[in-house]
Amino acid sequence: TLVLIRLPRVGGESPGGLAATLHEAREGIRAVLAKPWVGVTILQGTVQVAFAFAPSWVLLPIVAQDRYGEGAYGWLVTAQFVGMVSGSTLAARLRVRREGLVAMHGIAASALTGLCLAVPVALPVFALAQFIAWLGVGVFVVFWVTALQRAYPPELQGRVWSLEQVTTFALEPVALAAAPAVALAVGIPAIGITAAIMLVVASYAILIVPGVAEFGSPGAPEPVPGPAAAEVDPGAAAASPDLLTR
């Protein structure tokens, strides 16, 4: 059946093989550079994944086991999942004009995880912090993904999204590999505090760039808030840690 289906062409002809890949990569880079609010938000994600999220992913099961014993990590991950789903669902129903500002509030809330890694707290407190942190991530993901959908035509969205994912998670393998050694050298509390600081500072520092607070280019028509967010499946967002952040 698939052999008999003739799909419509999207855009013009492009060269094949490696040349096509490089051509599309250049188009994606040009598209991102044309909108500084997109580029700086992507770079923010790179910093936060490397210095906050990736170390937390490595250290969370270690801290849960050492501090609370068997089963604790499962509770923390469950709280994370429920928070992500709740945040994604909430964002799909929010009506706000400055989506970028709300999204930054959400991602900054992830600092709670770092603080709980640094400071011994009761397991229910840690679970609540995980819920709030990932509720914020869920809000960020929905607003960020729908902002990219609004900002670029369909023929560019795949290229921009690919560039966003590659750039955001470029340093993740290095951070994941280095986290245990760094923890041994400076201690888990130092990593947790650093992660919390990086999340808060990076989230709010980029608000000085025009367009970040609105998740849109200055002077562009304001989108109707809310309905576009419903295009993101909350369950799918929660199931993928990498969609997290972007």
Side-chain angles (χ1 to χ4, degrees):
T1 303
L2 292 177
V3 174
L4 300 177
I5 295 176
R6 299 191 64 178
L7 298 176
R9 295 180 181 273
V10 178
E13 294 290 339
S14 60
L18 178 60
T21 302
L22 295 176
H23 172 73
E24 293 182 359
R26 286 194 296 270
E27 284 193 341
I29 293 171
R30 282 197 295 267
V32 168
L33 293 179
K35 299 181 185 295
W37 66 271
V38 175
V40 74
T41 305
I42 292 175
L43 291 178
Q44 171 220 30
T46 304
V47 171
Q48 290 180 331
V49 168
F51 291 96
F53 286 108
S56 296
W57 294 334
V58 173
L59 299 177
L60 185 63
I62 298 173
V63 170
Q65 175 66 33
D66 291 347
R67 191 184 292 174
Y68 309 113
E70 295 290 339
Y73 181 61
W75 285 109
L76 295 178
V77 172
T78 299
Q80 170 182 318
F81 176 83
V82 174
M84 185 77 170
V85 172
S86 300
S88 302
T89 304
L90 174 64
R93 289 158 175 76
L94 284 178
R95 302 294 188 268
V96 296
R97 289 295 176 186
R98 306 185 77 187
E99 292 184 354
L101 178 60
V102 175
M104 294 308 156
H105 290 330
I107 209 71
S110 300
L112 290 172
T113 297
L115 292 177
C116 288
L117 288 173
V119 180
V121 295
L123 179 58
V125 175
F126 204 153
L128 178 61
Q130 280 284 89
F131 172 82
I132 296 172
W134 285 83
L135 184 146
V137 171
V139 171
F140 176 91
V141 167
V142 171
F143 284 161
W144 173 237
V145 172
T146 53
L148 292 181
Q149 291 174 342
R150 288 195 304 262
Y152 296 102
E155 61 269 20
L156 282 179
Q157 288 176 9
R159 295 162 194 178
V160 171
W161 184 251
S162 297
L163 179 64
E164 192 271 355
Q165 289 288 287
V166 170
T167 305
T168 297
F169 297 99
L171 298 178
E172 180 186 19
V174 176
L176 291 172
V182 175
L184 288 174
V186 303
I188 291 177
I191 294 179
I193 292 172
T194 301
I197 292 172
M198 291 300 299
L199 282 163
V200 173
V201 172
S203 295
Y204 293 119
I206 66 170
L207 289 172
I208 65 173
V209 177
V212 171
E214 297 78 19
F215 269 175
S217 299
E222 286 192 359
V224 177
E231 297 176 8
V232 178
D233 178 4
S240 174
D242 282 355
L243 191 55
L244 158 192
T245 65
R246 319 306 256 165

